Structures are given as structure tokens and as C-alpha cells.
Amino acid sequence: MKRPVLFLIAALALASGAFALCFFGGSSLCVWRGAAQTNELAWLQKEFHLGDAEMKRIAVLHEGYKPVCEEMCVRLAVKRRELEQALKGSTNVTPDIERRLSDVATLRAECQATMLRHFQEVARSMPAEQGARYLAEMQNVTLGLNGREKQMVPMPAHHEHP
Amino acid sequence: MKNSQPNPDGSSLRRILRESHPPAELPRRFKEEVWQRIQATERRMPENRSFLESLLALVFRPAFATVGLASLMLAGGFLGVQAGESRSRERAQARYIATVSPFHHVSMP
């Protein structure tokens, strides 16, 4: 191979390496800084530009809601296990399975309503514009409005309550 | 009968022909100007370089290489920070949602 071609390849490799190093360095630094943040409400404060007073109110609401959420997790887990047991070995939808499906759906709706009420309370603790944005974002993410629902599986074993 | 005598008008014909084409006179400093033109052309194309060689000669000039590399590094760092911020924001949001939604199974890093 000609020497100029080798030089060109070496120059391109050096340039790509320098770019990649800086890209991944910058990216990792940001992710590492984000991961070092242990406060679960930090995202709220940053995303919605909230002041200390607003954050204090929201922290109180958040701490009050946590046990309610935990209880819902447990109830959902129980209902889910009951449904799984009823489904085991069955080849058709029995009245018992129908009842358990209905129980899960009812509890799910109850949890969603409780969650929505909490979101609305938190939104009211924010400036109006930010509150509206928070509520819309939470409804999108947790209820799947606008097709933005994240993985919505009642799996309390993995649900985190720090 | 063939006439073997030289044409008595031959010499005068040659003389007339010579006089009708006078020797061309070169302008003054003709040779010098020709060489100057050749040198000027050579200065414009110092070597018989290929496009690649010319490109490399440009790229490897210290100023160009330094500015180019610095620009690439800056662009890489800037884009990396943007991507990292976005990922970090998504993770922070997932962390918050995991604490308020009983439906969300979020795999945390």
C-alpha cells in the first residue's frame, strides 16, 4: 500500500479515536454524575425548576404517598398471584378466573386513581405552568396516554421504595 | 538533344530566393524569457503530487492539524455531554416513577 494512504488511514483513526474518547468521556461523566444523585426527587427539582419551598411541600406529599404506594404494590402482587394460581392448568376461562381478572382490573383502576390524585396534589404544589407540564408528563408515562406508557407490569418484587 | 549546360539563371534564382526569405531575427533576451517562463511554471507545480499527497500535505500542516483535532475533540465532548445529560435525565425520571407508580418495573443501573 502506498505511504500516503497509510498516513491518511492513521490520521482518520487518530481523529476518530479522539472524537470517540471525548464523546464517551463526556457522556460517562454526565451519567456518573446523575447516578451519584440518590435523591429520587432530584429529577423533579431539575426538570420543573422548583425552588426549595416547593420541594419541601412536594417532599412531604411524596413521603406521605410512599406507604400508600407500597400497600398498593402488595395488594396487586397478591391479586396477581391468585390469578396466576387460578390460570395454572386451566384450559378455559372459568367463572373463577373471570372474577379474579375482574379483581385485578378493579384494583388496577383503584391504584391508577390513587396515583393520579397524588400527581394532581404534586402538580398543585408547583407553579401553574410547571404543574400542568408535570401532570401531562406523568399521565403520559404512567397511564400510557399518547402511547408513551412505560413498561406497565405489576411486579412489586422489583418495585422500588427506597 | 539534351542540354547538359547548367542553367545560367540558376545562381540568380538562388540569390533571389535567399533575398525573399531573410533570416529571422529573435527578439532580444528571447532565451532568457523562455527560461523564466519554464521556472515560473515549475514554481507553480513544485512536485508532481497526486491529489491524496496534496491533501495530506494540507492536513498535516501543524496549524491545520491542531485546529482540526481540537475541533473534533470539542465536538465529541459537546455531543457526549448532550447524550449523557439525556440518558441521565431518563434514568432520574425512571427512578422517580419507580417510587410513585406500583405498575412500573424499572431496571435501575
Side-chain angles (χ1 to χ4, degrees):
Chain A
M1 202 181 283
K2 280 171 127 184
R3 241 175 57 163
V5 177
L6 284 175
F7 273 127
L8 186 65
I9 291 171
L12 286 175
L14 180 73
S16 308
F19 181 86
L21 191 73
C22 290
F23 181 88
F24 289 112
S27 171
S28 303
L29 186 70
C30 283
V31 172
W32 175 75
R33 273 176 50 201
Q37 179 63 260
T38 52
N39 181 3
E40 62 220 26
L41 296 179
W43 171 74
L44 275 185
Q45 184 161 25
K46 192 175 177 189
E47 182 69 23
F48 299 98
H49 316 291
L50 303 175
D52 287 343
E54 288 149 349
M55 282 310 294
K56 263 185 193 163
R57 285 201 301 273
I58 290 170
V60 170
L61 289 173
H62 188 71
E63 289 305 316
Y65 172 72
K66 263 170 147 179
V68 179
C69 188
E70 279 174 42
E71 191 212 326
M72 289 191 300
C73 282
V74 174
R75 287 171 62 199
L76 268 171
V78 170
K79 289 288 176 196
R80 192 166 179 262
R81 261 197 302 275
E82 286 174 2
L83 177 63
E84 280 170 358
Q85 288 296 322
L87 285 171
K88 254 183 201 163
S90 68
T91 51
N92 49 3
V93 181
T94 61
D96 181 51
I97 290 175
E98 267 186 34
R99 186 177 56 79
R100 289 181 192 285
L101 279 170
S102 176
D103 286 350
V104 170
T106 306
L107 184 56
R108 194 183 177 95
E110 191 186 322
C111 290
Q112 285 176 328
T114 309
M115 201 165 60
L116 266 176
R117 274 194 288 274
H118 172 67
F119 292 152
Q120 285 164 352
E121 270 186 311
V122 172
R124 279 195 290 272
S125 302
M126 296 181 181
E129 196 183 323
Q130 301 299 340
R133 193 160 70 86
Y134 165 80
L135 202 54
E137 177 96 5
M138 288 300 107
Q139 286 173 357
N140 286 341
V141 173
T142 58
L143 302 178
L145 303 179
N146 299 328
R148 277 197 58 204
E149 185 184 24
K150 290 195 174 173
Q151 192 178 358
M152 198 159 174
V153 184
M155 293 180 74
H158 302 278
H159 180 52
E160 298 195 355
H161 281 285
Chain B
M1 190 177 150
K2 198 177 174 183
N3 188 6
S4 61
Q5 289 293 316
N7 188 353
D9 295 333
S11 59
S12 58
L13 181 63
R14 275 196 295 276
R15 183 172 49 78
I16 290 165
L17 282 172
R18 235 188 342 262
E19 285 170 2
S20 70
H21 293 287
E25 278 189 19
L26 294 172
R28 285 179 61 206
R29 301 178 58 178
F30 176 77
K31 281 185 183 176
E32 194 181 332
E33 282 174 8
V34 168
W35 278 113
Q36 278 175 356
R37 284 187 184 186
I38 291 170
Q39 282 168 352
T41 308
E42 282 179 349
R43 266 198 303 276
R44 279 199 297 274
M45 298 192 326
E47 292 168 39
N48 188 19
R49 281 179 171 167
S50 67
F51 169 74
L52 190 61
E53 285 168 323
S54 307
L55 181 73
L56 285 174
L58 175 73
V59 167
F60 283 116
R61 269 161 52 189
F64 191 95
T66 308
V67 170
L69 197 64
S71 306
L72 267 177
M73 289 172 81
L74 275 175
F78 177 76
L79 291 175
V81 166
Q82 297 284 312
E85 287 280 355
S86 174
R87 266 174 64 198
S88 184
R89 180 186 170 278
E90 278 174 17
R91 287 182 180 191
Q93 187 197 39
R95 193 183 298 133
Y96 171 71
I97 288 168
T99 62
V100 292
S101 168
F103 304 108
H104 285 79
H105 164 222
V106 183
S107 56
M108 302 301 287

